Amino acid sequence: MPTLAAAEASNAAFAPNYVPVAIIAGGTSGVGQATAEALARQTKGRAHIILIGRNAEAAEKIIAGFPKPVNGDEGWAHEFVPCDANSMASVRSVCAGLRSRLKRINFLVMTAAGPRGNSLTYCGETNEGLDDHLSMRYFSRYLYSKELMPLLLNAREQGQHAHVMTVLGAGMGVKIASSDLGLVEARRGSIKFLQGVVLSIPAMKGIIRGVGYNDGLVAWFAAQHPNIAVTHISPGQVHTPGNAMTPGWLLAPLAWLFAFLRIFIIISQDECAQYMLHALLDADRGLFIRDNHGDIVSSHVFSPDHKARFVDDSPMARKTGVLNGIPMKGYGGSDATVAGLIDYTERVLAEIK
Ligand SMILES: NC(=O)c1ccc[n+]([C@@H]2O[C@H](COP(=O)([O-])OP(=O)(O)OC[C@H]3O[C@@H](n4cnc5c(N)ncnc54)[C@H](OP(=O)(O)O)[C@@H]3O)[C@@H](O)[C@H]2O)c1
């Protein structure tokens, strides 16, 4: 397990001979913010860091705190790009804007999540008809990865880092469902007047499924693009503005108990960021499932000419935890369920203009 000191030491060795370009979707708070700050400190501000979120004021404060490079350094920039990640139209338009002005991206880090607060008790749909919990935790991340992939591939072609990292709940091997992928049926069966009062089964399903779907996301993109690194990582329990999940007032005592027990394992967002940065920098290419200390739960480096195969017509393709014939610890997909998930995702996203 990398200790904090080991993670910090490995991060301190990062001194690229180019100006890294990093997109942090969710960089206006919590783990995303702290990861952006750690990268800014490590590069002494000599990086092009783009924070994406909704809160411009928070972004400005964070950016003001980044070190600024000395005169003569070129190519660096620190900026905020607004986006409501609950709207796939908005994510698409932001990505189109980035593609039109950036030549490459070295790091795409995705941490945005929501809805905040009562998320365990509330289920609903976004304006575009997506499950509230899956929209940001999964769909927006899929879209960012897909739409910005050409820029990551450009970075790789130049021999630079090229890494997509989604921060959610890696390593649990949460199985990817094969039916009701968008939780439409689950939401239909939910009892509306109990929302906010007690745990909502569809809400919990949304949160848990997002974890498995992120395994599918990284497996898909890593297998399609064997030359870049793609990671799903867990941050663990972290002191952030958005870390509270309330189970409703009926179960409030349970929440107090959890809050008490968490005291023993929770870490600061700055400490977490060292592990996140370590995972981000310590990967050349391949697929990585990592835990909250940046340790590899499982990984695989594909051959450069790997032909991704996601089919559902063989017994091997239906085995959970096996990716294109490769056993992966802590991975919740099978080739068949990933094929189903991606097919479903593409169909759903195609309907949103
Ligand atoms: N903290 C923990 O203990 C913990 C535990 C397990 C997993 N995680 C996972 O780790 C990741 C980071 O969590 P965190 O605690 O750092 O969260 P956080 O402090 O609440 O930050 C969430 C980020 O998401 C952005 N966001 C929220 N709604 C958005 C929207 N509609 N459009 C665009 N951006 C939006 C926020 O930016 P704006 O407000 O600017 O929109 C903010 O930058 C999440 O995926 C979370 O599920 C966290």
Side-chain angles (χ1 to χ4, degrees):
M1 170 204 289
T3 59
L4 179 59
E8 283 170 342
S10 114
N11 295 340
F14 179 62
N17 57 8
Y18 59 89
V19 176
V21 180
I23 309 276
I24 320 280
T28 54
S29 171
V31 175
Q33 168 189 348
T35 305
E37 288 169 338
L39 180 65
R41 279 195 302 274
Q42 178 53 35
T43 55
K44 299 187 174 58
R46 187 176 164 271
H48 187 166
I49 300 177
I50 302 176
L51 307 181
I52 303 185
R54 294 164 305 171
N55 191 335
E57 203 182 324
E60 272 161 31
K61 273 193 197 142
I62 295 163
I63 287 171
F66 287 174
K68 305 290 178 249
V70 289
N71 289 343
D73 266 331
E74 282 181 7
W76 69 272
H78 306 149
E79 54 172 315
F80 169 65
V81 172
C83 178
D84 179 358
N86 260 331
S87 154
M88 299 310 120
S90 167
V91 172
R92 244 190 219 119
S93 132
V94 161
C95 290
L98 292 172
R99 281 200 312 270
S100 72
R101 67 190 175 93
L102 297 180
K103 291 198 170 61
R104 61 182 165 86
I105 293 173
N106 299 101
F107 304 112
L108 167 62
V109 180
M110 298 171 289
T111 65
R116 290 183 180 214
N118 277 350
S119 52
L120 284 173
T121 71
Y122 172 78
C123 71
E125 278 180 10
T126 66
N127 292 338
E128 294 168 339
L130 298 179
D131 180 83
D132 253 332
H133 293 280
L134 291 175
S135 66
M136 233 180 299
R137 286 187 170 82
Y138 171 66
F139 286 104
S140 74
R141 297 177 187 209
Y142 179 92
L143 206 49
Y144 276 124
S145 307
K146 181 180 172 183
E147 301 271 315
L148 297 177
M149 189 56 74
L151 296 179
L152 284 136
L153 296 176
N154 285 351
R156 174 48 86 198
E157 265 179 22
Q158 293 174 34
Q160 302 174 355
H161 281 85
H163 195 167
V164 174
M165 188 162 98
T166 176
V167 180
L168 196 65
M172 293 192 262
V174 175
K175 266 193 180 183
I176 298 176
S178 47
S179 63
D180 194 21
L181 289 168
L183 292 170
V184 176
E185 293 305 321
R187 280 197 306 279
R188 201 166 284 149
S190 76
I191 306 167
K192 296 281 181 253
F193 72 85
L194 285 181
Q195 297 220 356
V197 177
V198 73
L199 293 174
S200 145
I201 301 292
M204 290 172 67
K205 275 190 174 175
I207 289 168
I208 293 166
R209 283 210 188 170
V211 171
Y213 289 10
N214 269 258
D215 278 356
L217 181 161
V218 291
W220 175 257
F221 287 108
Q224 308 287 329
H225 304 289
N227 278 331
I228 69 161
V230 186
T231 295
H232 181 195
I233 189 166
S234 168
Q237 292 301 312
V238 191
H239 256 306
T240 65
N243 82 342
M245 283 203 177
T246 55
W249 60 260
L250 257 188
L251 295 177
L254 204 59
W256 300 332
L257 180 66
F258 280 142
F260 174 72
L261 293 175
R262 286 174 81 193
I263 292 171
F264 300 102
I265 51 169
I266 201 158
I267 60 173
S268 73
Q269 62 184 47
D270 288 335
E271 179 173 348
C272 174
Q274 290 302 320
Y275 297 121
M276 299 299 109
L277 192 60
H278 164 70
L280 190 64
L281 303 177
D282 178 42
D284 180 31
R285 57 191 186 83
L287 169 65
F288 298 84
I289 306 280
R290 296 208 190 223
D291 68 15
N292 57 335
H293 284 89
D295 276 322
I296 297 174
V297 178
S298 62
S299 68
H300 182 74
V301 177
F302 299 97
S303 73
D305 53 357
H306 176 78
K307 295 270 177 291
R309 24 178 228 282
F310 291 91
V311 291
D312 57 7
D313 57 358
S314 75
M316 193 57 156
R318 288 192 209 102
K319 274 198 147 190
T320 300
V322 178
L323 164 66
N324 289 191
I326 305 140
M328 298 282 299
K329 201 173 151 204
Y331 165 66
S334 70
D335 290 351
T337 53
V338 173
L341 175 69
I342 302 303
D343 179 58
Y344 167 78
T345 307
E346 285 291 340
R347 274 188 287 115
V348 165
L349 292 177
E351 280 168 19
I352 300 172
K353 300 295 171 208

